[in-house]
Amino acid sequence: MKYAIGSANPAKVKAVEQMIKEPVQPLDVPSGVSPQPLSDEETRLGAVNRAKACVEKGAELGFGLEGGVTDMEGTLYLCNWGALADQDGHLVVASGAKIPLPDEIAAPIRKGSELGEVMASFTSDKDIRKKAGAIGVLTNGELARDEMFMHIVKLLYGQYKFQK
């Protein structure tokens, strides 16, 4: 297996496949963090863990993409991190878009709900995290989740090629 991503989420798989322009093997691997990462650090760690787990399962290059939230000066922001690992132990990371979450979305997350669940209720679309995601809803369709993650994949793959 040449390329793998530590997720079966169609938006994440699509982001990697569009950049790599080759088939990517989705792998169900643990993030090693909470179901709703609550900081940049935790979200980044989830991405790193997923990328490394792909390599451990035999991928030449493993991608980990993780969405989370982070609190900045009392405002909850959407955050996204990615990691790329290879069999030689190289690791690169990158962060993506951050936008503030409206209070009606942030409040239930602060009480323990996951962003995906909140967005599913907010939009009446149980699969919103597999499609436009919170970023798509909150940008009125200007940026879809796969596009946001593709930006991160470009940052990852570009760094990786630069360092090789």
Side-chain angles (χ1 to χ4, degrees), residues 40-55:
D40 271 317
E41 295 81 7
E42 186 179 15
T43 308
R44 178 188 177 281
L45 179 59
V48 167
N49 289 345
R50 288 180 187 274
K52 288 180 175 180
C54 288
V55 172

Side-chain angles (χ1 to χ4, degrees), residues 36 68-69 78 101 105 109 113-120 129 134:
Q36 178 56 70
V69 298
L78 177 70
L101 296 174
I105 294 171
I109 295 169
S113 294
E114 289 182 39
L115 177 61
E117 296 167 353
V118 174
M119 294 308 298
R129 71 173 65 187

Side-chain angles (χ1 to χ4, degrees), residues 3-138:
Y3 302 109
I5 179 165
S7 176
N9 184 299
K12 294 177 181 182
V13 174
K14 182 178 178 183
V16 177
E17 286 184 336
Q18 285 182 336
M19 180 61 212
I20 301 300
K21 301 194 182 347
E22 290 190 40
V24 175
Q25 177 67 47
L27 297 176
D28 184 19
V29 297
S31 68
V33 298
S34 62
Q36 178 56 70
L38 295 173
S39 67
D40 271 317
E41 295 81 7
E42 186 179 15
T43 308
R44 178 188 177 281
L45 179 59
V48 167
N49 289 345
R50 288 180 187 274
K52 288 180 175 180
C54 288
V55 172
E56 289 170 8
K57 289 191 173 246
E60 289 180 35
L61 289 181
F63 290 85
L65 298 171
E66 192 78 20
V69 298
T70 189
D71 191 295
M72 296 173 62
E73 299 177 352
T75 299
L76 207 56
Y77 284 79
L78 177 70
C79 71
N80 300 276
W81 280 87
L84 186 160
D86 72 10
Q87 292 178 340
D88 295 327
H90 294 101
L91 177 71
V92 293
V93 296
S95 179
K98 283 191 175 69
I99 62 170
L101 296 174
D103 289 339
E104 62 267 29
I105 294 171
I109 295 169
R110 290 187 189 280
K111 293 178 181 172
S113 294
E114 289 182 39
L115 177 61
E117 296 167 353
V118 174
M119 294 308 298
S121 176
F122 185 77
T123 62
S124 299
D125 182 350
K126 67 179 178 64
D127 291 326
I128 192 70
R129 71 173 65 187
K130 295 178 181 178
K131 298 184 255 180
I135 195 80
V137 173
L138 299 175

